[in-house]
Amino acid sequence: MEEAQLRTRSTSRARSVAFVGLTVAIMAVSAWVTVPIGPVPVTLQMFAITFAIVVLSPKEAIAAIVCYLALGAVGVPVFSGMRGGIGVLAGPTGGFLWGYLFGVAAAVLLLHVVRSRTDWEVSRKRATLDPVAEAALSPVQKFVRFVRISGVEIAAGVLFTAISYLCGWAQFMPVMGVGPEAAFLACIAPFVVIDFCKILAAVACARAVKAVVK
């Protein structure tokens, strides 16, 4: 019995480490997909990290973001533009990277509290429709249903993004020598709609993955 339990724990640990490693790799690749539209480029990082927040356990999500930032800090080119090093973390956009850590911690805490102390998961399972009934819904009905069922996960993504924005905005001002309004217009305003769409896409993909990977 003890041997079986040890084997189960070892398998679970190996699976967890594999998930964390794969997530770090996804974060790095998503950072390399860059569209420069100003001092802060558009990347797929918000998508990748929101996906990790929803799919992984709280410990795994935090471990993944810590590993990602640590690799970047020592010079591994995992940040946007295939950059790495302390200079990136201390630069104009470095606040967003620090914000990832605080944002992930807050988002997974929100999900943990809701999942463990409410009947949200039970209610969501009850709201599940069979494939035929779901196929009969209009696109608008499907979207409304998705938002209603995934509201807490979307809120976690928004919380993560808001904290990342706040940290990025706070560091951008002194580094670039600009005021609050100019910093907001340069590094937050152009990305709000885009990043919200990334959150919705990440939650939808995460739900699909969780349905397959038990």
Side-chain angles (χ1 to χ4, degrees), residues 132-155:
V132 176
E134 188 165 358
L137 298 176
S138 69
V140 174
Q141 289 175 320
K142 289 180 180 178
F143 178 76
V144 171
R145 183 171 175 276
F146 164 72
V147 172
R148 179 167 55 86
I149 292 177
S150 305
V152 176
E153 293 164 336
I154 294 172

mmCIF file of all heavy atoms in Angstrom, residues 132-155:
data_model
loop_
_atom_site.group_PDB
_atom_site.id
_atom_site.type_symbol
_atom_site.label_atom_id
_atom_site.label_comp_id
_atom_site.label_asym_id
_atom_site.label_seq_id
_atom_site.Cartn_x
_atom_site.Cartn_y
_atom_site.Cartn_z
ATOM 1 N N VAL A 132 -25.956 18.315 -28.667
ATOM 2 C CA VAL A 132 -27.037 18.688 -29.580
ATOM 3 C C VAL A 132 -27.655 20.024 -29.170
ATOM 4 O O VAL A 132 -27.877 20.916 -29.995
ATOM 5 C CB VAL A 132 -28.119 17.586 -29.598
ATOM 6 C CG1 VAL A 132 -29.300 18.027 -30.469
ATOM 7 C CG2 VAL A 132 -27.537 16.280 -30.114
ATOM 8 N N ALA A 133 -27.939 20.166 -27.854
ATOM 9 C CA ALA A 133 -28.534 21.411 -27.361
ATOM 10 C C ALA A 133 -27.582 22.583 -27.535
ATOM 11 O O ALA A 133 -27.997 23.697 -27.883
ATOM 12 C CB ALA A 133 -28.922 21.254 -25.894
ATOM 13 N N GLU A 134 -26.295 22.348 -27.317
ATOM 14 C CA GLU A 134 -25.319 23.433 -27.464
ATOM 15 C C GLU A 134 -25.185 23.850 -28.921
ATOM 16 O O GLU A 134 -25.032 25.030 -29.229
ATOM 17 C CB GLU A 134 -23.964 22.999 -26.909
ATOM 18 C CG GLU A 134 -22.957 24.118 -26.851
ATOM 19 C CD GLU A 134 -21.769 23.791 -25.978
ATOM 20 O OE1 GLU A 134 -21.732 22.703 -25.382
ATOM 21 O OE2 GLU A 134 -20.867 24.646 -25.893
ATOM 22 N N ALA A 135 -25.249 22.891 -29.835
ATOM 23 C CA ALA A 135 -25.124 23.197 -31.257
ATOM 24 C C ALA A 135 -26.313 24.019 -31.752
ATOM 25 O O ALA A 135 -26.190 24.757 -32.741
ATOM 26 C CB ALA A 135 -25.008 21.913 -32.066
ATOM 27 N N ALA A 136 -27.439 23.906 -31.062
ATOM 28 C CA ALA A 136 -28.639 24.631 -31.477
ATOM 29 C C ALA A 136 -28.626 26.099 -31.068
ATOM 30 O O ALA A 136 -29.444 26.889 -31.544
ATOM 31 C CB ALA A 136 -29.883 23.953 -30.908
ATOM 32 N N LEU A 137 -27.697 26.479 -30.192
ATOM 33 C CA LEU A 137 -27.626 27.860 -29.738
ATOM 34 C C LEU A 137 -27.068 28.769 -30.825
ATOM 35 O O LEU A 137 -26.230 28.352 -31.630
ATOM 36 C CB LEU A 137 -26.739 27.959 -28.490
ATOM 37 C CG LEU A 137 -27.201 27.197 -27.240
ATOM 38 C CD1 LEU A 137 -26.163 27.333 -26.138
ATOM 39 C CD2 LEU A 137 -28.548 27.712 -26.753
ATOM 40 N N SER A 138 -27.499 30.003 -30.820
ATOM 41 C CA SER A 138 -26.949 30.989 -31.755
ATOM 42 C C SER A 138 -25.567 31.420 -31.265
ATOM 43 O O SER A 138 -25.229 31.213 -30.094
ATOM 44 C CB SER A 138 -27.868 32.206 -31.833
ATOM 45 O OG SER A 138 -27.843 32.928 -30.610
ATOM 46 N N PRO A 139 -24.752 32.031 -32.127
ATOM 47 C CA PRO A 139 -23.424 32.498 -31.691
ATOM 48 C C PRO A 139 -23.496 33.441 -30.497
ATOM 49 O O PRO A 139 -22.652 33.361 -29.591
ATOM 50 C CB PRO A 139 -22.882 33.202 -32.935
ATOM 51 C CG PRO A 139 -23.566 32.526 -34.073
ATOM 52 C CD PRO A 139 -24.942 32.197 -33.582
ATOM 53 N N VAL A 140 -24.479 34.331 -30.479
ATOM 54 C CA VAL A 140 -24.615 35.252 -29.352
ATOM 55 C C VAL A 140 -24.964 34.496 -28.080
ATOM 56 O O VAL A 140 -24.400 34.759 -27.004
ATOM 57 C CB VAL A 140 -25.696 36.322 -29.644
ATOM 58 C CG1 VAL A 140 -25.942 37.180 -28.407
ATOM 59 C CG2 VAL A 140 -25.274 37.188 -30.817
ATOM 60 N N GLN A 141 -25.876 33.530 -28.166
ATOM 61 C CA GLN A 141 -26.238 32.729 -26.996
ATOM 62 C C GLN A 141 -25.049 31.922 -26.483
ATOM 63 O O GLN A 141 -24.858 31.789 -25.274
ATOM 64 C CB GLN A 141 -27.395 31.788 -27.359
ATOM 65 C CG GLN A 141 -28.729 32.483 -27.557
ATOM 66 C CD GLN A 141 -29.797 31.527 -28.040
ATOM 67 O OE1 GLN A 141 -29.554 30.652 -28.882
ATOM 68 N NE2 GLN A 141 -31.021 31.678 -27.507
ATOM 69 N N LYS A 142 -24.244 31.389 -27.404
ATOM 70 C CA LYS A 142 -23.057 30.635 -27.001
ATOM 71 C C LYS A 142 -22.066 31.536 -26.262
ATOM 72 O O LYS A 142 -21.480 31.129 -25.263
ATOM 73 C CB LYS A 142 -22.388 30.021 -28.227
ATOM 74 C CG LYS A 142 -23.159 28.865 -28.843
ATOM 75 C CD LYS A 142 -22.425 28.304 -30.053
ATOM 76 C CE LYS A 142 -23.198 27.149 -30.675
ATOM 77 N NZ LYS A 142 -22.515 26.612 -31.886
ATOM 78 N N PHE A 143 -21.889 32.752 -26.769
ATOM 79 C CA PHE A 143 -20.953 33.671 -26.124
ATOM 80 C C PHE A 143 -21.444 34.072 -24.732
ATOM 81 O O PHE A 143 -20.670 34.075 -23.770
ATOM 82 C CB PHE A 143 -20.760 34.916 -26.986
ATOM 83 C CG PHE A 143 -19.837 35.939 -26.377
ATOM 84 C CD1 PHE A 143 -18.469 35.742 -26.380
ATOM 85 C CD2 PHE A 143 -20.341 37.084 -25.773
ATOM 86 C CE1 PHE A 143 -17.609 36.671 -25.797
ATOM 87 C CE2 PHE A 143 -19.496 38.017 -25.194
ATOM 88 C CZ PHE A 143 -18.129 37.808 -25.205
ATOM 89 N N VAL A 144 -22.729 34.399 -24.614
ATOM 90 C CA VAL A 144 -23.292 34.782 -23.316
ATOM 91 C C VAL A 144 -23.172 33.633 -22.331
ATOM 92 O O VAL A 144 -22.819 33.830 -21.164
ATOM 93 C CB VAL A 144 -24.765 35.207 -23.476
ATOM 94 C CG1 VAL A 144 -25.418 35.395 -22.108
ATOM 95 C CG2 VAL A 144 -24.856 36.498 -24.277
ATOM 96 N N ARG A 145 -23.431 32.433 -22.799
ATOM 97 C CA ARG A 145 -23.328 31.259 -21.934
ATOM 98 C C ARG A 145 -21.881 31.029 -21.496
ATOM 99 O O ARG A 145 -21.603 30.696 -20.346
ATOM 100 C CB ARG A 145 -23.863 30.040 -22.679
ATOM 101 C CG ARG A 145 -23.881 28.773 -21.847
ATOM 102 C CD ARG A 145 -24.620 27.661 -22.570
ATOM 103 N NE ARG A 145 -24.509 26.434 -21.808
ATOM 104 C CZ ARG A 145 -23.464 25.601 -21.880
ATOM 105 N NH1 ARG A 145 -22.469 25.879 -22.701
ATOM 106 N NH2 ARG A 145 -23.422 24.513 -21.146
ATOM 107 N N PHE A 146 -20.949 31.202 -22.435
ATOM 108 C CA PHE A 146 -19.530 31.051 -22.111
ATOM 109 C C PHE A 146 -19.100 32.037 -21.033
ATOM 110 O O PHE A 146 -18.426 31.670 -20.069
ATOM 111 C CB PHE A 146 -18.687 31.248 -23.377
ATOM 112 C CG PHE A 146 -17.224 31.491 -23.112
ATOM 113 C CD1 PHE A 146 -16.402 30.473 -22.663
ATOM 114 C CD2 PHE A 146 -16.685 32.759 -23.301
ATOM 115 C CE1 PHE A 146 -15.063 30.694 -22.416
ATOM 116 C CE2 PHE A 146 -15.340 32.993 -23.055
ATOM 117 C CZ PHE A 146 -14.526 31.952 -22.609
ATOM 118 N N VAL A 147 -19.506 33.295 -21.175
ATOM 119 C CA VAL A 147 -19.142 34.321 -20.190
ATOM 120 C C VAL A 147 -19.765 34.006 -18.840
ATOM 121 O O VAL A 147 -19.125 34.166 -17.787
ATOM 122 C CB VAL A 147 -19.573 35.722 -20.679
ATOM 123 C CG1 VAL A 147 -19.384 36.754 -19.582
ATOM 124 C CG2 VAL A 147 -18.788 36.119 -21.932
ATOM 125 N N ARG A 148 -21.000 33.524 -18.833
ATOM 126 C CA ARG A 148 -21.680 33.219 -17.573
ATOM 127 C C ARG A 148 -21.015 32.035 -16.861
ATOM 128 O O ARG A 148 -20.794 32.076 -15.658
ATOM 129 C CB ARG A 148 -23.159 32.906 -17.841
ATOM 130 C CG ARG A 148 -23.961 32.543 -16.599
ATOM 131 C CD ARG A 148 -25.453 32.571 -16.912
ATOM 132 N NE ARG A 148 -25.783 31.723 -18.035
ATOM 133 C CZ ARG A 148 -26.033 30.413 -17.934
ATOM 134 N NH1 ARG A 148 -25.968 29.825 -16.756
ATOM 135 N NH2 ARG A 148 -26.346 29.709 -18.997
ATOM 136 N N ILE A 149 -20.696 30.995 -17.617
ATOM 137 C CA ILE A 149 -20.103 29.802 -17.024
ATOM 138 C C ILE A 149 -18.651 30.043 -16.603
ATOM 139 O O ILE A 149 -18.188 29.530 -15.580
ATOM 140 C CB ILE A 149 -20.180 28.620 -18.017
ATOM 141 C CG1 ILE A 149 -21.634 28.207 -18.213
ATOM 142 C CG2 ILE A 149 -19.359 27.440 -17.531
ATOM 143 C CD1 ILE A 149 -21.826 27.106 -19.231
ATOM 144 N N SER A 150 -17.926 30.840 -17.387
ATOM 145 C CA SER A 150 -16.492 31.061 -17.133
ATOM 146 C C SER A 150 -16.218 32.410 -16.485
ATOM 147 O O SER A 150 -15.077 32.891 -16.526
ATOM 148 C CB SER A 150 -15.717 30.962 -18.455
ATOM 149 O OG SER A 150 -15.970 29.749 -19.110
ATOM 150 N N GLY A 151 -17.231 33.022 -15.889
ATOM 151 C CA GLY A 151 -17.075 34.373 -15.350
ATOM 152 C C GLY A 151 -15.959 34.523 -14.339
ATOM 153 O O GLY A 151 -15.200 35.507 -14.366
ATOM 154 N N VAL A 152 -15.813 33.540 -13.444
ATOM 155 C CA VAL A 152 -14.776 33.641 -12.413
ATOM 156 C C VAL A 152 -13.389 33.539 -13.039
ATOM 157 O O VAL A 152 -12.460 34.267 -12.649
ATOM 158 C CB VAL A 152 -14.967 32.550 -11.349
ATOM 159 C CG1 VAL A 152 -13.837 32.593 -10.329
ATOM 160 C CG2 VAL A 152 -16.302 32.723 -10.640
ATOM 161 N N GLU A 153 -13.222 32.655 -14.009
ATOM 162 C CA GLU A 153 -11.928 32.514 -14.672
ATOM 163 C C GLU A 153 -11.582 33.760 -15.490
ATOM 164 O O GLU A 153 -10.427 34.192 -15.534
ATOM 165 C CB GLU A 153 -11.950 31.261 -15.556
ATOM 166 C CG GLU A 153 -12.043 29.984 -14.726
ATOM 167 C CD GLU A 153 -12.458 28.786 -15.556
ATOM 168 O OE1 GLU A 153 -13.095 28.986 -16.619
ATOM 169 O OE2 GLU A 153 -12.156 27.660 -15.133
ATOM 170 N N ILE A 154 -12.594 34.336 -16.131
ATOM 171 C CA ILE A 154 -12.370 35.595 -16.856
ATOM 172 C C ILE A 154 -11.993 36.702 -15.882
ATOM 173 O O ILE A 154 -11.079 37.498 -16.145
ATOM 174 C CB ILE A 154 -13.634 35.981 -17.652
ATOM 175 C CG1 ILE A 154 -13.888 34.968 -18.765
ATOM 176 C CG2 ILE A 154 -13.498 37.383 -18.248
ATOM 177 C CD1 ILE A 154 -15.216 35.143 -19.479
ATOM 178 N N ALA A 155 -12.663 36.736 -14.723
ATOM 179 C CA ALA A 155 -12.334 37.742 -13.696
ATOM 180 C C ALA A 155 -10.902 37.563 -13.209
ATOM 181 O O ALA A 155 -10.192 38.550 -12.961
ATOM 182 C CB ALA A 155 -13.311 37.632 -12.530
#
